[in-house]
Amino acid sequence: MIRKKSAIMLVTLMTATAAFVSGCGSSSTNAGSATQSASPGKEAAGTKQPVEFSFYFTGSQNVKDLWDTLIPMFEKQNADVKVKPVYIPSGTGAQPTYDRIIAAKQANKGSGDIDLYEDGLSTVTRGKKDDLWDTLPGDKIKNLAGVDEKTLKDISNLAVPYRSSAVVLAYNSDKVKTPPTNLDELYDWIKKNPSKFAYNDPSTGGSGNSFVATTLYKFLPEEAIHNSDPSVEKGWDQGFALLKDLGKSVYGKGIYPKKNQGTLDLMTSGEVDMIPAWSDMVLEQVAKGQLPKTTKMAQIKPGFNGGPTYLMVPKLSEKKDAVYKFLNFVLSPEAQGVVVDKMHGFPGIKLSGMSKEIQDSFKGASEGFRSFNIGDLDKDMTKRWQSEVAAQ
């Protein structure tokens, strides 16, 4: 039976939680690639051996634990398919995987034996430009019907948003009795509580990136968060001026930790009282006793950005039918219940598709965050932040 502990914790911990955007950071490592085999149809008709496909993913230990649970569940129900997981530990860099898919395409060598790939929105967007990803067929992945239509439209049906998380304010409730409810209140709190707020270098983790992006787009029309046209950058000036001004009030008068974990470590040690953080990371670390029990979460209005983690199928993969079957399983209520339990986050399918037990446990915890999709502008944003904010 699916445990509801994680979902209940989400409601308990969050004062005004990260919103649920219906479809969040991060076996031993296999360095090699799967042996190229025939397409599913041919192999099934010939040797009757299961079709094996290679699945490359990266992230923290909890991501590995999730797939260590889901893959055996799937294989038990589907004897004709075998999944070969290739885990790239967080911090070792997933870029070579993307480069390998590109190189294989350019050399006319298919997908480089990579049949399924997990990553974030920026990789979906980049792969769209490079024409790498398969347009996923709803007739073969029927559970795609359970994913929010707007989310699929935003990515042109090029990926499966299988789990979701959000950036929220994590705070020490012993020190912060009334957390900020909007950006202006947050900026005011930072200035009145010098060195008690921290956010990480935006180029090293999504929580700091979210704080910077949310500040920049505070002064732009709401629709700008879905615009990747370079002309938008002209509207960033006011936000960067604000970030620069806040520098003297953040932790260490302008010290920006590396990675999402860097700011969580400052919370754990008591050096700061408030940070932007990924909701799933906070929940997991509170559950494990790595963060104090006094840690709570709140979402501001308008919300910080958040959103799904995606699964992409390389267009040139020769194992698509087997991969489609796996993706259909991942989007099933059964598998999504494991996602909720293991990842302390939101399911990738609409809440209405989950069990009543999970639906009830998420009551009051399904509103708030926004999904940003600014494409390559993110690189310009972090580069400018380095020169105008971090370097001051």
Side-chain angles (χ1 to χ4, degrees), residues 317-357:
S317 167
E318 296 183 1
K319 315 289 182 63
K320 287 182 184 178
D321 285 344
V323 177
Y324 295 158
K325 184 175 287 191
F326 180 66
L327 292 177
N328 198 58
F329 165 78
V330 170
L331 290 176
S332 68
E334 176 190 15
Q336 287 289 295
V338 176
V339 170
V340 170
D341 189 52
K342 291 282 187 182
M343 298 301 295
H344 303 277
F346 304 113
I349 62 175
K350 287 179 276 192
L351 199 58
S352 59
M354 301 298 291
S355 68
K356 186 177 186 302
E357 181 182 42

mmCIF file of all heavy atoms in Angstrom, residues 317-357:
data_model
loop_
_atom_site.group_PDB
_atom_site.id
_atom_site.type_symbol
_atom_site.label_atom_id
_atom_site.label_comp_id
_atom_site.label_asym_id
_atom_site.label_seq_id
_atom_site.Cartn_x
_atom_site.Cartn_y
_atom_site.Cartn_z
ATOM 1 N N SER A 317 16.305 6.840 -31.322
ATOM 2 C CA SER A 317 16.340 5.579 -30.583
ATOM 3 C C SER A 317 15.652 4.483 -31.389
ATOM 4 O O SER A 317 14.635 4.716 -32.056
ATOM 5 C CB SER A 317 15.631 5.731 -29.238
ATOM 6 O OG SER A 317 15.397 4.470 -28.645
ATOM 7 N N GLU A 318 16.207 3.271 -31.316
ATOM 8 C CA GLU A 318 15.612 2.125 -32.005
ATOM 9 C C GLU A 318 14.752 1.287 -31.059
ATOM 10 O O GLU A 318 14.284 0.209 -31.441
ATOM 11 C CB GLU A 318 16.714 1.257 -32.611
ATOM 12 C CG GLU A 318 17.518 1.971 -33.695
ATOM 13 C CD GLU A 318 18.557 1.068 -34.345
ATOM 14 O OE1 GLU A 318 18.629 -0.116 -33.958
ATOM 15 O OE2 GLU A 318 19.273 1.548 -35.236
ATOM 16 N N LYS A 319 14.544 1.760 -29.848
ATOM 17 C CA LYS A 319 13.800 0.991 -28.846
ATOM 18 C C LYS A 319 12.534 1.728 -28.390
ATOM 19 O O LYS A 319 12.086 1.558 -27.263
ATOM 20 C CB LYS A 319 14.692 0.740 -27.619
ATOM 21 C CG LYS A 319 16.110 0.302 -27.906
ATOM 22 C CD LYS A 319 16.167 -1.106 -28.434
ATOM 23 C CE LYS A 319 17.620 -1.526 -28.669
ATOM 24 N NZ LYS A 319 18.403 -1.558 -27.435
ATOM 25 N N LYS A 320 11.969 2.550 -29.242
ATOM 26 C CA LYS A 320 10.900 3.448 -28.822
ATOM 27 C C LYS A 320 9.689 2.724 -28.249
ATOM 28 O O LYS A 320 9.123 3.164 -27.243
ATOM 29 C CB LYS A 320 10.470 4.329 -29.993
ATOM 30 C CG LYS A 320 11.474 5.404 -30.359
ATOM 31 C CD LYS A 320 10.922 6.260 -31.503
ATOM 32 C CE LYS A 320 11.946 7.275 -31.964
ATOM 33 N NZ LYS A 320 11.432 8.066 -33.105
ATOM 34 N N ASP A 321 9.266 1.615 -28.876
ATOM 35 C CA ASP A 321 8.065 0.942 -28.380
ATOM 36 C C ASP A 321 8.256 0.453 -26.944
ATOM 37 O O ASP A 321 7.340 0.544 -26.121
ATOM 38 C CB ASP A 321 7.703 -0.236 -29.291
ATOM 39 C CG ASP A 321 7.074 0.230 -30.605
ATOM 40 O OD1 ASP A 321 6.656 1.406 -30.669
ATOM 41 O OD2 ASP A 321 7.003 -0.575 -31.540
ATOM 42 N N ALA A 322 9.451 -0.055 -26.642
ATOM 43 C CA ALA A 322 9.739 -0.496 -25.275
ATOM 44 C C ALA A 322 9.759 0.696 -24.323
ATOM 45 O O ALA A 322 9.245 0.608 -23.197
ATOM 46 C CB ALA A 322 11.072 -1.232 -25.235
ATOM 47 N N VAL A 323 10.333 1.805 -24.764
ATOM 48 C CA VAL A 323 10.392 3.009 -23.921
ATOM 49 C C VAL A 323 8.992 3.557 -23.672
ATOM 50 O O VAL A 323 8.660 3.964 -22.553
ATOM 51 C CB VAL A 323 11.298 4.077 -24.567
ATOM 52 C CG1 VAL A 323 11.291 5.350 -23.724
ATOM 53 C CG2 VAL A 323 12.724 3.563 -24.710
ATOM 54 N N TYR A 324 8.151 3.562 -24.715
ATOM 55 C CA TYR A 324 6.780 4.047 -24.553
ATOM 56 C C TYR A 324 6.052 3.251 -23.477
ATOM 57 O O TYR A 324 5.296 3.799 -22.666
ATOM 58 C CB TYR A 324 5.998 3.925 -25.861
ATOM 59 C CG TYR A 324 6.477 4.775 -26.998
ATOM 60 C CD1 TYR A 324 6.167 4.422 -28.324
ATOM 61 C CD2 TYR A 324 7.215 5.936 -26.799
ATOM 62 C CE1 TYR A 324 6.592 5.191 -29.394
ATOM 63 C CE2 TYR A 324 7.644 6.712 -27.860
ATOM 64 C CZ TYR A 324 7.336 6.332 -29.161
ATOM 65 O OH TYR A 324 7.761 7.090 -30.226
ATOM 66 N N LYS A 325 6.263 1.941 -23.471
ATOM 67 C CA LYS A 325 5.603 1.088 -22.480
ATOM 68 C C LYS A 325 6.058 1.469 -21.069
ATOM 69 O O LYS A 325 5.256 1.518 -20.129
ATOM 70 C CB LYS A 325 5.918 -0.385 -22.776
ATOM 71 C CG LYS A 325 5.186 -1.361 -21.862
ATOM 72 C CD LYS A 325 5.435 -2.805 -22.275
ATOM 73 C CE LYS A 325 4.692 -3.159 -23.540
ATOM 74 N NZ LYS A 325 4.725 -4.630 -23.774
ATOM 75 N N PHE A 326 7.340 1.738 -20.933
ATOM 76 C CA PHE A 326 7.889 2.147 -19.631
ATOM 77 C C PHE A 326 7.322 3.500 -19.205
ATOM 78 O O PHE A 326 6.931 3.691 -18.044
ATOM 79 C CB PHE A 326 9.412 2.204 -19.705
ATOM 80 C CG PHE A 326 10.083 2.614 -18.423
ATOM 81 C CD1 PHE A 326 10.018 1.817 -17.294
ATOM 82 C CD2 PHE A 326 10.793 3.809 -18.349
ATOM 83 C CE1 PHE A 326 10.645 2.190 -16.101
ATOM 84 C CE2 PHE A 326 11.425 4.186 -17.173
ATOM 85 C CZ PHE A 326 11.349 3.373 -16.043
ATOM 86 N N LEU A 327 7.271 4.445 -20.122
ATOM 87 C CA LEU A 327 6.743 5.773 -19.799
ATOM 88 C C LEU A 327 5.278 5.697 -19.395
ATOM 89 O O LEU A 327 4.826 6.424 -18.497
ATOM 90 C CB LEU A 327 6.920 6.718 -20.988
ATOM 91 C CG LEU A 327 8.358 7.097 -21.336
ATOM 92 C CD1 LEU A 327 8.394 7.990 -22.578
ATOM 93 C CD2 LEU A 327 9.043 7.801 -20.165
ATOM 94 N N ASN A 328 4.527 4.825 -20.050
ATOM 95 C CA ASN A 328 3.118 4.661 -19.692
ATOM 96 C C ASN A 328 2.992 4.160 -18.255
ATOM 97 O O ASN A 328 2.126 4.617 -17.498
ATOM 98 C CB ASN A 328 2.438 3.691 -20.654
ATOM 99 C CG ASN A 328 0.929 3.813 -20.614
ATOM 100 O OD1 ASN A 328 0.367 4.878 -20.851
ATOM 101 N ND2 ASN A 328 0.259 2.715 -20.290
ATOM 102 N N PHE A 329 3.885 3.251 -17.872
ATOM 103 C CA PHE A 329 3.901 2.761 -16.496
ATOM 104 C C PHE A 329 4.259 3.880 -15.516
ATOM 105 O O PHE A 329 3.626 4.020 -14.462
ATOM 106 C CB PHE A 329 4.902 1.613 -16.366
ATOM 107 C CG PHE A 329 5.250 1.276 -14.943
ATOM 108 C CD1 PHE A 329 4.385 0.542 -14.155
ATOM 109 C CD2 PHE A 329 6.445 1.717 -14.391
ATOM 110 C CE1 PHE A 329 4.699 0.249 -12.831
ATOM 111 C CE2 PHE A 329 6.777 1.432 -13.074
ATOM 112 C CZ PHE A 329 5.895 0.690 -12.293
ATOM 113 N N VAL A 330 5.273 4.677 -15.853
ATOM 114 C CA VAL A 330 5.726 5.747 -14.952
ATOM 115 C C VAL A 330 4.596 6.733 -14.664
ATOM 116 O O VAL A 330 4.510 7.292 -13.569
ATOM 117 C CB VAL A 330 6.950 6.469 -15.554
ATOM 118 C CG1 VAL A 330 7.294 7.734 -14.768
ATOM 119 C CG2 VAL A 330 8.156 5.536 -15.587
ATOM 120 N N LEU A 331 3.702 6.938 -15.628
ATOM 121 C CA LEU A 331 2.597 7.878 -15.445
ATOM 122 C C LEU A 331 1.353 7.222 -14.858
ATOM 123 O O LEU A 331 0.314 7.875 -14.738
ATOM 124 C CB LEU A 331 2.247 8.536 -16.788
ATOM 125 C CG LEU A 331 3.284 9.515 -17.340
ATOM 126 C CD1 LEU A 331 2.855 10.014 -18.718
ATOM 127 C CD2 LEU A 331 3.517 10.680 -16.398
ATOM 128 N N SER A 332 1.438 5.959 -14.501
ATOM 129 C CA SER A 332 0.286 5.284 -13.888
ATOM 130 C C SER A 332 0.121 5.757 -12.450
ATOM 131 O O SER A 332 1.093 6.149 -11.792
ATOM 132 C CB SER A 332 0.492 3.767 -13.918
ATOM 133 O OG SER A 332 1.563 3.394 -13.053
ATOM 134 N N PRO A 333 -1.099 5.740 -11.917
ATOM 135 C CA PRO A 333 -1.301 6.130 -10.514
ATOM 136 C C PRO A 333 -0.441 5.305 -9.556
ATOM 137 O O PRO A 333 0.033 5.832 -8.538
ATOM 138 C CB PRO A 333 -2.794 5.882 -10.295
ATOM 139 C CG PRO A 333 -3.402 6.071 -11.657
ATOM 140 C CD PRO A 333 -2.380 5.499 -12.613
ATOM 141 N N GLU A 334 -0.235 4.030 -9.865
ATOM 142 C CA GLU A 334 0.589 3.172 -9.009
ATOM 143 C C GLU A 334 2.023 3.710 -8.911
ATOM 144 O O GLU A 334 2.565 3.890 -7.814
ATOM 145 C CB GLU A 334 0.624 1.755 -9.584
ATOM 146 C CG GLU A 334 1.536 0.804 -8.830
ATOM 147 C CD GLU A 334 1.749 -0.521 -9.542
ATOM 148 O OE1 GLU A 334 1.425 -0.608 -10.745
ATOM 149 O OE2 GLU A 334 2.243 -1.463 -8.903
ATOM 150 N N ALA A 335 2.632 3.973 -10.063
ATOM 151 C CA ALA A 335 4.010 4.478 -10.070
ATOM 152 C C ALA A 335 4.082 5.888 -9.518
ATOM 153 O O ALA A 335 5.030 6.249 -8.808
ATOM 154 C CB ALA A 335 4.573 4.428 -11.488
ATOM 155 N N GLN A 336 3.090 6.712 -9.813
ATOM 156 C CA GLN A 336 3.088 8.082 -9.323
ATOM 157 C C GLN A 336 2.948 8.132 -7.803
ATOM 158 O O GLN A 336 3.462 9.041 -7.151
ATOM 159 C CB GLN A 336 1.966 8.874 -9.994
ATOM 160 C CG GLN A 336 2.238 9.203 -11.459
ATOM 161 C CD GLN A 336 3.327 10.232 -11.616
ATOM 162 O OE1 GLN A 336 3.168 11.379 -11.210
ATOM 163 N NE2 GLN A 336 4.438 9.842 -12.210
ATOM 164 N N GLY A 337 2.276 7.138 -7.235
ATOM 165 C CA GLY A 337 2.211 7.058 -5.785
ATOM 166 C C GLY A 337 3.585 6.822 -5.176
ATOM 167 O O GLY A 337 3.913 7.369 -4.116
ATOM 168 N N VAL A 338 4.412 6.043 -5.869
ATOM 169 C CA VAL A 338 5.782 5.818 -5.414
ATOM 170 C C VAL A 338 6.587 7.111 -5.529
ATOM 171 O O VAL A 338 7.410 7.424 -4.664
ATOM 172 C CB VAL A 338 6.451 4.687 -6.225
ATOM 173 C CG1 VAL A 338 7.914 4.520 -5.819
ATOM 174 C CG2 VAL A 338 5.699 3.377 -6.044
ATOM 175 N N VAL A 339 6.360 7.872 -6.598
ATOM 176 C CA VAL A 339 7.036 9.160 -6.777
ATOM 177 C C VAL A 339 6.737 10.084 -5.596
ATOM 178 O O VAL A 339 7.633 10.707 -5.022
ATOM 179 C CB VAL A 339 6.610 9.819 -8.112
ATOM 180 C CG1 VAL A 339 7.106 11.261 -8.175
ATOM 181 C CG2 VAL A 339 7.140 9.031 -9.304
ATOM 182 N N VAL A 340 5.464 10.172 -5.225
ATOM 183 C CA VAL A 340 5.071 11.017 -4.090
ATOM 184 C C VAL A 340 5.764 10.548 -2.814
ATOM 185 O O VAL A 340 6.297 11.346 -2.031
ATOM 186 C CB VAL A 340 3.537 10.994 -3.905
ATOM 187 C CG1 VAL A 340 3.129 11.669 -2.588
ATOM 188 C CG2 VAL A 340 2.845 11.689 -5.080
ATOM 189 N N ASP A 341 5.775 9.234 -2.610
ATOM 190 C CA ASP A 341 6.330 8.665 -1.384
ATOM 191 C C ASP A 341 7.842 8.803 -1.302
ATOM 192 O O ASP A 341 8.391 9.170 -0.261
ATOM 193 C CB ASP A 341 5.936 7.186 -1.318
ATOM 194 C CG ASP A 341 6.279 6.551 0.018
ATOM 195 O OD1 ASP A 341 5.878 7.108 1.053
ATOM 196 O OD2 ASP A 341 6.950 5.509 0.018
ATOM 197 N N LYS A 342 8.523 8.537 -2.401
ATOM 198 C CA LYS A 342 9.989 8.523 -2.400
ATOM 199 C C LYS A 342 10.602 9.910 -2.555
ATOM 200 O O LYS A 342 11.660 10.192 -1.998
ATOM 201 C CB LYS A 342 10.507 7.639 -3.542
ATOM 202 C CG LYS A 342 10.246 6.153 -3.364
ATOM 203 C CD LYS A 342 11.229 5.543 -2.392
ATOM 204 C CE LYS A 342 11.089 4.037 -2.322
ATOM 205 N NZ LYS A 342 12.020 3.443 -1.338
ATOM 206 N N MET A 343 9.949 10.775 -3.346
ATOM 207 C CA MET A 343 10.556 12.061 -3.692
ATOM 208 C C MET A 343 10.022 13.230 -2.881
ATOM 209 O O MET A 343 10.473 14.360 -3.038
ATOM 210 C CB MET A 343 10.348 12.357 -5.183
ATOM 211 C CG MET A 343 10.994 11.335 -6.111
ATOM 212 S SD MET A 343 12.777 11.177 -5.883
ATOM 213 C CE MET A 343 13.346 12.791 -6.381
ATOM 214 N N HIS A 344 9.023 12.982 -2.017
ATOM 215 C CA HIS A 344 8.484 14.059 -1.173
ATOM 216 C C HIS A 344 8.012 15.246 -2.018
ATOM 217 O O HIS A 344 8.172 16.399 -1.622
ATOM 218 C CB HIS A 344 9.538 14.539 -0.168
ATOM 219 C CG HIS A 344 10.057 13.445 0.717
ATOM 220 N ND1 HIS A 344 9.414 13.013 1.854
ATOM 221 C CD2 HIS A 344 11.173 12.680 0.622
ATOM 222 C CE1 HIS A 344 10.098 12.045 2.427
ATOM 223 N NE2 HIS A 344 11.173 11.818 1.700
ATOM 224 N N GLY A 345 7.480 14.961 -3.172
ATOM 225 C CA GLY A 345 7.065 16.049 -4.058
ATOM 226 C C GLY A 345 5.715 15.781 -4.687
ATOM 227 O O GLY A 345 4.943 14.925 -4.242
ATOM 228 N N PHE A 346 5.433 16.524 -5.730
ATOM 229 C CA PHE A 346 4.149 16.441 -6.412
ATOM 230 C C PHE A 346 4.187 15.399 -7.534
ATOM 231 O O PHE A 346 5.220 15.221 -8.178
ATOM 232 C CB PHE A 346 3.794 17.795 -7.017
ATOM 233 C CG PHE A 346 3.780 18.914 -6.026
ATOM 234 C CD1 PHE A 346 4.723 19.927 -6.090
ATOM 235 C CD2 PHE A 346 2.830 18.950 -5.022
ATOM 236 C CE1 PHE A 346 4.716 20.957 -5.177
ATOM 237 C CE2 PHE A 346 2.810 19.977 -4.100
ATOM 238 C CZ PHE A 346 3.755 20.998 -4.179
ATOM 239 N N PRO A 347 3.068 14.743 -7.797
ATOM 240 C CA PRO A 347 3.038 13.801 -8.919
ATOM 241 C C PRO A 347 3.083 14.529 -10.251
ATOM 242 O O PRO A 347 2.791 15.725 -10.334
ATOM 243 C CB PRO A 347 1.697 13.080 -8.727
ATOM 244 C CG PRO A 347 0.845 14.058 -7.990
ATOM 245 C CD PRO A 347 1.776 14.821 -7.087
ATOM 246 N N GLY A 348 3.433 13.805 -11.306
ATOM 247 C CA GLY A 348 3.488 14.398 -12.636
ATOM 248 C C GLY A 348 2.132 14.442 -13.306
ATOM 249 O O GLY A 348 1.923 15.214 -14.234
ATOM 250 N N ILE A 349 1.203 13.597 -12.854
ATOM 251 C CA ILE A 349 -0.146 13.609 -13.414
ATOM 252 C C ILE A 349 -1.051 14.478 -12.548
ATOM 253 O O ILE A 349 -0.700 14.845 -11.427
ATOM 254 C CB ILE A 349 -0.727 12.183 -13.529
ATOM 255 C CG1 ILE A 349 -0.850 11.525 -12.145
ATOM 256 C CG2 ILE A 349 0.140 11.336 -14.452
ATOM 257 C CD1 ILE A 349 -1.526 10.155 -12.175
ATOM 258 N N LYS A 350 -2.215 14.793 -13.083
ATOM 259 C CA LYS A 350 -3.153 15.623 -12.343
ATOM 260 C C LYS A 350 -3.580 14.929 -11.051
ATOM 261 O O LYS A 350 -3.726 13.703 -11.008
ATOM 262 C CB LYS A 350 -4.370 15.947 -13.213
ATOM 263 C CG LYS A 350 -4.070 16.954 -14.313
ATOM 264 C CD LYS A 350 -5.276 17.255 -15.174
ATOM 265 C CE LYS A 350 -5.439 16.233 -16.277
ATOM 266 N NZ LYS A 350 -6.439 16.672 -17.291
ATOM 267 N N LEU A 351 -3.767 15.706 -10.019
ATOM 268 C CA LEU A 351 -4.112 15.158 -8.711
ATOM 269 C C LEU A 351 -5.387 14.338 -8.779
ATOM 270 O O LEU A 351 -5.543 13.356 -8.038
ATOM 271 C CB LEU A 351 -4.253 16.303 -7.709
ATOM 272 C CG LEU A 351 -4.156 15.937 -6.226
ATOM 273 C CD1 LEU A 351 -2.836 15.252 -5.915
ATOM 274 C CD2 LEU A 351 -4.322 17.177 -5.375
ATOM 275 N N SER A 352 -6.284 14.686 -9.677
ATOM 276 C CA SER A 352 -7.541 13.953 -9.810
ATOM 277 C C SER A 352 -7.324 12.512 -10.257
ATOM 278 O O SER A 352 -8.208 11.662 -10.089
ATOM 279 C CB SER A 352 -8.466 14.663 -10.809
ATOM 280 O OG SER A 352 -7.842 14.759 -12.083
ATOM 281 N N GLY A 353 -6.153 12.224 -10.813
ATOM 282 C CA GLY A 353 -5.851 10.873 -11.246
ATOM 283 C C GLY A 353 -5.229 10.009 -10.173
ATOM 284 O O GLY A 353 -4.976 8.821 -10.399
ATOM 285 N N MET A 354 -4.989 10.582 -9.002
ATOM 286 C CA MET A 354 -4.380 9.836 -7.904
ATOM 287 C C MET A 354 -5.458 9.241 -6.989
ATOM 288 O O MET A 354 -6.642 9.572 -7.099
ATOM 289 C CB MET A 354 -3.459 10.755 -7.104
ATOM 290 C CG MET A 354 -2.330 11.383 -7.918
ATOM 291 S SD MET A 354 -1.190 10.169 -8.610
ATOM 292 C CE MET A 354 -0.389 9.558 -7.119
ATOM 293 N N SER A 355 -5.030 8.392 -6.077
ATOM 294 C CA SER A 355 -5.974 7.787 -5.144
ATOM 295 C C SER A 355 -6.607 8.862 -4.266
ATOM 296 O O SER A 355 -6.044 9.940 -4.068
ATOM 297 C CB SER A 355 -5.255 6.770 -4.250
ATOM 298 O OG SER A 355 -4.362 7.439 -3.373
ATOM 299 N N LYS A 356 -7.792 8.563 -3.733
ATOM 300 C CA LYS A 356 -8.473 9.529 -2.871
ATOM 301 C C LYS A 356 -7.624 9.836 -1.643
ATOM 302 O O LYS A 356 -7.602 10.971 -1.151
ATOM 303 C CB LYS A 356 -9.837 8.996 -2.448
ATOM 304 C CG LYS A 356 -10.665 10.024 -1.654
ATOM 305 C CD LYS A 356 -12.037 9.483 -1.317
ATOM 306 C CE LYS A 356 -12.883 10.580 -0.659
ATOM 307 N NZ LYS A 356 -12.258 11.116 0.564
ATOM 308 N N GLU A 357 -6.905 8.849 -1.154
ATOM 309 C CA GLU A 357 -6.048 9.035 0.011
ATOM 310 C C GLU A 357 -5.003 10.109 -0.259
ATOM 311 O O GLU A 357 -4.787 11.011 0.562
ATOM 312 C CB GLU A 357 -5.365 7.710 0.354
ATOM 313 C CG GLU A 357 -4.460 7.768 1.560
ATOM 314 C CD GLU A 357 -3.786 6.435 1.818
ATOM 315 O OE1 GLU A 357 -3.343 5.783 0.848
ATOM 316 O OE2 GLU A 357 -3.699 6.055 2.987
#
